[in-house]
Amino acid sequence: DNHFEVQDHRSAFLHELAGLSDLVVVNTRLMADIVRDKTGKTAVVIGDPCEGARKPPWFSPGKPLRLLWFGRSMNFRYMSTVFPRLVELGKEIPVVCQLVIDPVRGLEEMIAQLNYSHRPALNVVLSPWESPETTSRAFEECDLVTIPSDPKDPIKKAASNNRLTESLWAGR
């Protein structure tokens, strides 16, 4: 993520770290451009690896539609903005949305309230991330992966495409 343009402790730390480094490695061309512009260093681009076995594409949704969101808690704010649209979709076809995420204080209560208010249109299932196998199982159980973001967010504008790549690698 692009923390160079956010004026907080991460920005200062990244500037200092880049100044001390012999080589900067990033995972997108845009991030390499930002590193060059912000630090004067030339960054090497190495893309993200894919975990697990490559699976053929598969999409045969049933009722309910089984969605998956996976990621770190810092990215959950983007997913939380999608819930109202999922409730609307759930009025046409029930939606089960599995969240694979690291522990977040208050998330279980928020999910319980969301489910109480919107079942049967929307049922959100929380699956704590424990290992790569947790995500692999979730890929097998879902029809579709959702990866909402905000392209206007300066932190995300140069973000890795790792979750998209991993989803496609898993056949979703």
Side-chain angles (χ1 to χ4, degrees), residues 75-96:
N75 294 314
F76 182 70
R77 63 182 174 198
Y78 302 107
M79 183 59 202
S80 65
T81 66
V82 174
F83 289 132
R85 288 178 267 173
L86 294 181
V87 169
E88 289 303 310
L89 175 62
K91 293 175 182 175
E92 297 177 34
I93 178 172
V95 175
V96 173

Side-chain angles (χ1 to χ4, degrees), residues 132-152:
E133 289 75 31
T134 305
T135 307
S136 182
R137 279 191 306 275
F139 283 134
E140 292 292 325
E141 297 168 356
C142 78
D143 297 314
L144 188 66
V145 176
T146 181
I147 309 172
S149 191
D150 181 0
K152 295 177 185 167

Side-chain angles (χ1 to χ4, degrees), residues 118-130:
H118 299 293
R119 251 189 213 153
L122 176 63
N123 181 28
V124 180
V125 177
L126 185 59
S127 298
W129 188 91
E130 296 169 349

Side-chain angles (χ1 to χ4, degrees), residues 82-122:
V82 174
F83 289 132
R85 288 178 267 173
L86 294 181
V87 169
E88 289 303 310
L89 175 62
K91 293 175 182 175
E92 297 177 34
I93 178 172
V95 175
V96 173
C97 182
Q98 182 178 9
L99 306 176
V100 176
I101 188 171
D102 54 303
V104 179
R105 175 178 279 163
L107 183 60
E108 289 182 21
E109 294 81 10
M110 187 198 91
I111 298 301
Q113 181 59 44
L114 193 64
N115 287 336
Y116 177 80
S117 301
H118 299 293
R119 251 189 213 153
L122 176 63

Side-chain angles (χ1 to χ4, degrees), residues 25-29 44-50 159-162 165:
V25 177
V26 297
N27 52 16
T28 67
R29 179 81 247 148
V44 175
V45 178
I46 299 177
D48 293 311
C50 293
S160 162
N161 59 9
N162 63 321
T165 303

Side-chain angles (χ1 to χ4, degrees), residues 10-61:
R10 291 174 290 195
S11 176
F13 176 72
L14 288 175
H15 278 88
E16 180 180 351
L17 196 59
L20 296 171
S21 67
D22 294 324
L23 178 68
V24 177
V25 177
V26 297
N27 52 16
T28 67
R29 179 81 247 148
L30 182 55
M31 194 68 224
D33 293 343
I34 291 168
V35 167
R36 185 192 64 240
D37 293 346
K38 298 295 182 182
T39 69
K41 294 261 185 172
T42 299
V44 175
V45 178
I46 299 177
D48 293 311
C50 293
E51 294 179 324
R54 185 175 183 189
K55 304 282 176 89
W58 178 81
F59 182 70
S60 181

